Amino acid sequence: LGLYQKFFKMLEAELHDLDIILAKHLTDEILPDEDIDPAEVLMDPHLHGLASYVQAVDEARVYETEAAELQEEIDQCENELAWEMYQGLDDKRAERNAATLEEEIKGLVDRQQKLVRKAQDVRDANKVTVALL
């Protein structure tokens, strides 16, 4: 059952990404075309709110990218902390370095969590509702 759930979540994430790619293509490539009337295309009830949706997704992805970069920094700091602890805490310098790294990690984790919350807030605030067929 756990594998089924894992594969379902992976499929859901891939389909969501595909939806975003299609929406971005429509707003970046098709709507700016001079031969196409954007008002007529956007009057389709399935495309209502598409431009704001794509803008919100792009904004959320910026936050998520920054959070992923912070995760790399966190991993690096945790590795340095593990090395300091491996070296031994008998040395006062090692204790100070470990304490400094712990504080840095806490700050980075807080910043990362704020970015993830911002991304989720942007996604929640700009949800696109799909009409049932």
Side-chain angles (χ1 to χ4, degrees), residues 74-88:
I74 291 168
D75 291 343
Q76 182 180 357
C77 287
E78 286 176 343
N79 289 337
E80 290 176 17
L81 178 61
W83 179 251
E84 286 291 333
M85 296 184 88
Y86 176 74
Q87 296 272 331

Side-chain angles (χ1 to χ4, degrees), residues 5-53:
Q5 182 183 18
K6 178 182 177 183
F7 288 132
F8 178 78
K9 288 185 183 268
M10 288 172 49
L11 175 66
E12 186 179 35
E14 291 297 321
L15 290 174
H16 182 68
D17 287 345
L18 181 62
D19 188 33
I20 292 168
I21 290 168
L22 289 172
K24 187 160 182 66
H25 175 73
L26 180 65
T27 57
D28 291 348
E29 303 293 327
I30 295 175
L31 291 179
D33 190 356
E34 296 173 359
D35 297 333
I36 296 176
D37 182 18
E40 184 178 331
V41 172
L42 292 176
M43 294 241 339
D44 186 328
H46 294 99
L47 300 178
H48 176 70
L50 182 65
S52 63
Y53 173 74

Side-chain angles (χ1 to χ4, degrees), residues 95-110:
E95 287 181 24
R96 284 194 304 270
N97 287 345
T100 302
L101 285 169
E102 286 176 1
E103 290 300 317
E104 187 176 345
I105 290 170
K106 286 179 186 176
L108 290 171
V109 168
D110 288 343

Side-chain angles (χ1 to χ4, degrees), residues 1 26 29 43 51 55 80 91-92 110-111 113 117 119 123 133:
L1 192 57
L26 180 65
E29 303 293 327
M43 294 241 339
Q55 182 181 7
E80 290 176 17
D91 185 15
K92 292 291 184 187
D110 288 343
R111 284 180 35 209
Q113 289 174 347
R117 277 195 301 271
R123 287 183 189 275
L133 297 177

Side-chain angles (χ1 to χ4, degrees), residues 55-67 70 109-127:
Q55 182 181 7
V57 168
D58 286 342
E59 184 180 348
R61 287 221 171 173
V62 167
Y63 292 135
E64 289 169 349
T65 302
E66 289 177 26
L70 282 176
V109 168
D110 288 343
R111 284 180 35 209
Q112 181 191 32
Q113 289 174 347
K114 286 179 185 176
L115 288 170
V116 169
R117 277 195 301 271
K118 279 184 185 179
Q120 189 60 43
D121 290 346
V122 167
R123 287 183 189 275
D124 291 343
N126 294 292
K127 271 192 177 166

